[in-house]
Amino acid sequence: MLIVMKADATELEVADVVRAVTEMGLRAHPMPGAQRTAIGITGNQGAVDPSRFENMPGVAEAIRVTKPYKLISLDLRPEKTVVRVGDATIGGDELAIIAGPCAVESRAQAFAIAEAVRRSGARFYRGGAFKPRTSPYAFQGLGEEGLKILAEVRETYGLKIITEAMDEHGMDLVERYADIIQLGARNMQNFSLLRRAGRSHLPVLLKRGMAAMIDEWMLAAEYIMAEGNYNVILCERGVRTFAQHTRNTLDLAAIPAVRRISHLPVIVDPSHGTGKNFMVTPLARAGVAVGADGLIIEVHDQPDRALSDGAQALTLEQYEQLVYEVRAIHEVVAPAPVS
Ligand code: PEP
Ligand code: MN
């Protein structure tokens, strides 16, 4: 059920509807929008009777939702969500650029890369402290020491920090140091972790699972939102196919597909999406051209020495060139509104 309030509904009227929903043992999710406020209802097993709300003051209509998701959908919120992290945004007019190493390896490495990321004008710095590696013998990340380095990067360069939490304990730690929590492809359907992220005060970057259909991905985001965290950023990072020329097949059609369904910002990861250095810039360009709200790019000061994902890491020079190119494309694809 979705309750759409009239454009001139007062805050008190919205609060009355929220109370009525709560009294039924359900959860109300009010989403103020530019035109009107809509209130999503979750927690019901069967259909909710719309007549309970239809005649309440300020209510325009009560709509039964037939799709499997509610809170992520454009029905609830017709305009795009802009995720704000301090003065930086994802989903707004500006192209969001998140860049940094796959893993934080040392203070010197993290700082050398952060310097270039800052210089490029990007607002967000990525770097894993907890790494989900296919092999148990591969570098697993520096753990909390890595998070401390990331916090220093924020202090020094003013970049917003995004880093992955692999489990609930890791999330407690990540919350202490980061600005955005990354949930990795391998955890897209870790439902207890999704719920935990939904109770976080930090925005969540939700990567698409490597075998996930769009609906499954949307429902994973719904898990987070249903717990009350509405700051979710979706990230297309490629899926498994029979193609062998890339690490994953970057599904750029997912961007317009998601746009049709959801108000959430969606970004592209051409690094994991291709796994190959020489493909990252072309696919980053394409990601921006199909309308992504941003990019997440792996960069390294010495890619041949990287402890993880070196083959897809851009050099600092390549990264600088990429930013220049994608900004030019973004200006054409999403021109600033005429004021
Ligand atoms: C990463 O961003 O370094 C990562 C492990 O990504 P994914 O979960 O998409 O594989
Ligand atoms: Mn990586």
Side-chain angles (χ1 to χ4, degrees):
M1 170 86 59
L2 171 63
I3 299 166
V4 180
M5 302 299 291
K6 291 180 181 154
D8 60 355
T10 65
E11 275 181 34
L12 223 61
E13 287 167 342
V14 173
D16 277 346
V17 174
V18 168
R19 190 170 325 109
V21 172
T22 315
E23 277 168 13
M24 292 168 79
L26 305 175
R27 184 159 182 171
H29 302 264
M31 298 273 165
Q35 308 298 332
R36 43 63 157 182
T37 291
I39 302 165
I41 301 178
T42 60
N44 51 307
Q45 297 298 333
V48 179
D49 180 8
S51 63
R52 171 77 184 76
F53 303 102
E54 272 162 356
N55 296 322
M56 290 186 73
V59 172
E61 54 179 338
I63 306 168
R64 191 162 284 166
V65 181
T66 50
K67 298 181 190 117
Y69 27 72
K70 312 175 185 185
L71 305 178
I72 62 114
S73 82
L74 287 168
D75 299 331
L76 185 67
R77 195 185 164 94
E79 63 268 3
K80 280 176 67 177
T81 286
V82 180
V83 173
R84 293 175 199 282
V85 185
D87 60 346
T89 56
I90 304 178
D93 294 336
E94 210 178 307
L95 180 70
I97 296 176
I98 304 167
C102 179
V104 178
E105 299 169 6
S106 69
R107 192 173 181 280
Q109 172 248 22
F111 271 61
I113 299 165
E115 167 81 41
V117 172
R118 177 66 259 188
R119 208 173 338 113
S120 75
R123 308 298 310 276
F124 302 91
Y125 186 79
R126 63 149 291 147
F130 299 99
K131 294 304 303 177
R133 303 307 301 282
T134 302
S135 164
Y137 309 120
F139 176 59
Q140 305 284 311
L142 297 180
E144 189 167 5
E145 188 194 332
L147 294 177
K148 287 183 178 158
I149 294 171
L150 288 169
E152 270 192 74
V153 164
R154 174 179 42 213
E155 277 304 302
T156 310
Y157 297 100
L159 294 162
K160 314 293 181 198
I161 302 298
I162 163 155
T163 193
E164 178 163 353
M166 293 205 313
D167 50 36
E168 291 168 56
H169 169 66
M171 199 168 294
D172 295 340
L173 283 172
V174 164
E175 277 179 331
R176 269 187 241 151
Y177 296 96
D179 298 298
I180 300 180
I181 302 165
Q182 178 173 327
L183 291 187
R186 291 156 191 81
N187 268 321
M188 193 207 80
Q189 285 190 318
N190 181 339
F191 300 114
S192 53
L193 196 61
L194 294 172
R195 282 212 169 93
R196 168 66 183 79
R199 293 191 294 273
S200 179
H201 63 284
L202 294 181
V204 178
L205 179 87
L206 178 65
K207 290 206 155 188
R208 180 179 178 186
M210 57 182 86
M213 295 188 292
I214 299 283
D215 277 4
E216 292 167 329
W217 187 20
M218 297 302 102
L219 285 169
E222 188 83 17
Y223 262 92
I224 300 169
M225 293 188 73
E227 293 293 326
N229 188 348
Y230 308 132
N231 287 311
V232 180
I233 304 137
L234 302 165
C235 177
E236 164 59 40
R237 49 77 74 202
V239 289
R240 270 292 157 78
T241 67
F242 48 79
Q244 292 182 330
H245 60 290
T246 48
R247 181 178 180 187
N248 294 289
T249 297
L250 189 64
D251 177 14
L252 290 179
I255 309 305
V258 167
R259 283 264 190 273
R260 271 272 165 117
I261 302 171
S262 181
H263 53 82
L264 295 173
V266 54
I267 69 165
V268 166
D269 175 350
S271 304
H272 296 88
T274 63
K276 301 209 163 122
N277 170 291
F278 76 96
M279 293 183 178
V280 172
T281 299
L283 273 292
R285 288 190 211 116
V288 175
V290 296
D293 293 300
L295 297 168
I296 180 164
I297 307 287
E298 287 191 350
V299 193
H300 204 287
D301 56 332
Q302 293 176 291
D304 50 342
R305 298 216 177 159
L307 298 182
S308 66
D309 287 352
Q312 68 197 33
L314 295 188
T315 63
L316 304 183
E317 294 73 27
Q318 288 170 333
Y319 164 70
E320 193 183 339
Q321 178 66 23
L322 174 148
V323 172
Y324 174 76
E325 292 179 16
V326 296
R327 286 231 171 92
I329 293 167
H330 186 253
E331 267 185 39
V332 178
V333 180
V338 188
S339 53

